[in-house]
Amino acid sequence: MIKVVFWGTPSIGLKSLEYLHNSEKFEVVGVVTQPDRPQSRGMKMTASPVKECALKYNIPVYQPEKIKKDREC
């Protein structure tokens, strides 16, 4: 089984993440996505579609503020 870290944020990446998660060839060991951002009038903090999907499947999520400045990334 190949271990994979998935990088993505918008909903266009959901099909790829779900495919990898459901595949017997891959194990998604983590997801890297943008930090939660305030949206709409109420400025409510909203998670990215990829983060919501990862949480649904109990995949660890990493949300660096700036990739270039984050040494762990």
Side-chain angles (χ1 to χ4, degrees):
M1 187 172 289
I2 300 170
K3 294 185 178 188
V4 176
V5 175
F6 185 86
W7 289 63
T9 298
S11 59
I12 196 166
L14 291 178
K15 284 188 179 185
S16 299
L17 178 57
E18 289 179 349
Y19 172 81
L20 292 170
H21 173 73
N22 294 326
S23 173
E24 294 181 11
K25 295 179 182 180
F26 302 101
E27 177 187 0
V28 182
V29 296
V31 167
V32 180
T33 188
Q34 291 184 2
D36 298 352
R37 304 271 189 225
Q39 287 188 338
S40 70
R41 279 191 168 177
M43 299 302 283
K44 181 180 175 186
M45 295 299 280
T46 305
S48 73
V50 168
K51 178 183 178 182
E52 290 177 359
C53 183
L55 294 176
K56 180 172 94 174
Y57 294 128
N58 295 316
I59 301 170
V61 177
Y62 184 64
Q63 296 179 279
E65 190 63 41
K66 298 214 180 233
I67 293 174
K68 291 181 180 180
K69 293 183 179 182
D70 192 330
R71 291 181 181 223
E72 290 180 19
C73 202

